Amino acid sequence: MNRRSFMTTTAITAAALSLGLGRAAWAADPLKVAFMYVGPVGDMGWSFQHDQGRQAVEAAFGDKVITSYVENVPEGPDAERVLTQMALAGNQLIFATSFGYMDAVMNVAAKFPNVRFEHATGYKRADNVSTYDARFYEGRAVIGTIAGRMTKTNKIGYIGSFPIPEVVQGINSAFIHARKVNPAVEMKVVWAYTWFDPAKEADAAAALIAEGVDVLMQHTDSTAPQAKAQEAGIYTFGQASDMGAFAPAPRISSIIDNWGPYYVARVGAMLDGSWASSGSWEGIGAGAVGIGEISDAVPAEVKAEALALAAAIGAGTYHPFTGPLNKADGSAWLAAGQVADDGMLSGLNFFVEGITAQMPQ
């Protein structure tokens, strides 16, 4: 071997060792994962539950991951700024946890093709963008059943956040199942136009209570409606988290969002190299939606009825949107025995027959 060939061989070997060491060091680096929340982690609702999922990731993977979060990020330009900062900070996986973040996610994802993004409740995807959601309407069917049995005034109130399909699904599902057990039920709806604003949520609750409702539901994130209901002596349901501090009354049960299993699975996919763009929409059966403990304020037979419904939904033997069902204007929607498919539900923009509240345009 001449000197030149020896030097070349030595250089190649050294380079290979260096590359190998570099890859090993990179592989040993913790995966950086960031979460962006629309409300505070202390809201005891939506953002709180997402942060419980983040903590589940830390518990599952230990020093293999480093997680971080930014809370109280408004939907709009601020979201794009925060997502950009997260990507520039070296986060390899970013969870954006509110519907209104959708366009910001798509814009930033296009600029950072090597970063993976997950968008909660959205529908736009790309090679590096996945979406995930939960079938909240399944849980609304269960608590709607309880509400229909528990009301004495036959007036149930519902605080809506924004008139998007996710929220409209929930209002319709709660009403359909309340009326199944109590044909005299009316549904009163007030739109708060916020996900988290305790003052607005309290005002919405007060307006509904003034209309005579004695059972209150919400698709907003704070416990302010619970406090108003407690003052008025009416019943409520926890939203997103259990809100058990208000049990046994006014909170008589809850719909619980369980994001932990999804977050653990997706971070695991990043760690083992199997992550791919996908869409997830799971419900009671998969554990993504839970029903909180039903308090002793609810009669045993009503509790049994509600739990039987939850079991049927979870087993796939019953679908909350099964015909015959008409639209609020009386026109036909689902024929007897027909089940709404995911395409119908994803674009749902009308109330079902019997709800007299106006749908915002």
Side-chain angles (χ1 to χ4, degrees), residues 96-274:
T97 65
S98 192
F99 178 81
Y101 293 155
M102 184 160 55
D103 288 338
V105 167
M106 300 307 295
N107 291 341
V108 177
K111 298 173 185 175
F112 295 91
N114 294 324
V115 177
R116 303 294 181 259
F117 295 82
E118 299 262 357
H119 180 221
T121 74
Y123 55 84
K124 294 182 180 179
R125 291 200 288 272
D127 287 346
N128 63 331
V129 179
S130 284
T131 59
Y132 62 104
D133 203 347
R135 296 182 184 272
F136 307 116
Y137 65 83
E138 293 184 349
R140 308 285 180 195
V142 178
I143 64 174
T145 298
I146 299 172
R149 292 294 192 194
M150 296 299 289
T151 179
K152 299 297 189 292
T153 65
N154 293 327
K155 294 179 180 179
I156 297 172
Y158 204 114
I159 302 172
S161 46
F162 296 95
I164 61 174
E166 171 196 324
V167 180
V168 177
Q169 291 162 18
I171 295 170
N172 282 328
S173 182
F175 174 75
I176 289 166
H177 293 85
R179 184 159 274 197
K180 276 191 174 185
V181 299
N182 181 353
V185 158
E186 298 177 45
M187 179 76 81
K188 306 287 186 180
V189 180
V190 169
W191 296 98
Y193 292 98
T194 183
W195 294 113
F196 177 82
D197 186 322
K200 288 183 178 179
E201 293 173 65
D203 287 345
L208 288 165
I209 291 167
E211 289 196 61
V213 308
D214 61 351
V215 181
L216 184 62
M217 298 180 180
Q218 65 185 92
H219 203 129
T220 54
D221 299 341
S222 86
T223 58
Q226 307 287 326
K228 278 291 181 186
Q230 196 169 56
E231 292 173 7
I234 69 171
Y235 295 126
T236 63
F237 297 89
Q239 157 63 17
S241 73
D242 196 50
M243 297 186 177
F246 290 89
R251 170 245 172 256
I252 51 176
S253 188
S254 55
I255 176 172
I256 301 173
D257 309 342
N258 183 18
W259 302 110
Y262 182 81
Y263 286 161
V264 169
R266 297 304 280 171
V267 171
M270 284 290 291
L271 289 169
D272 67 22
S274 64

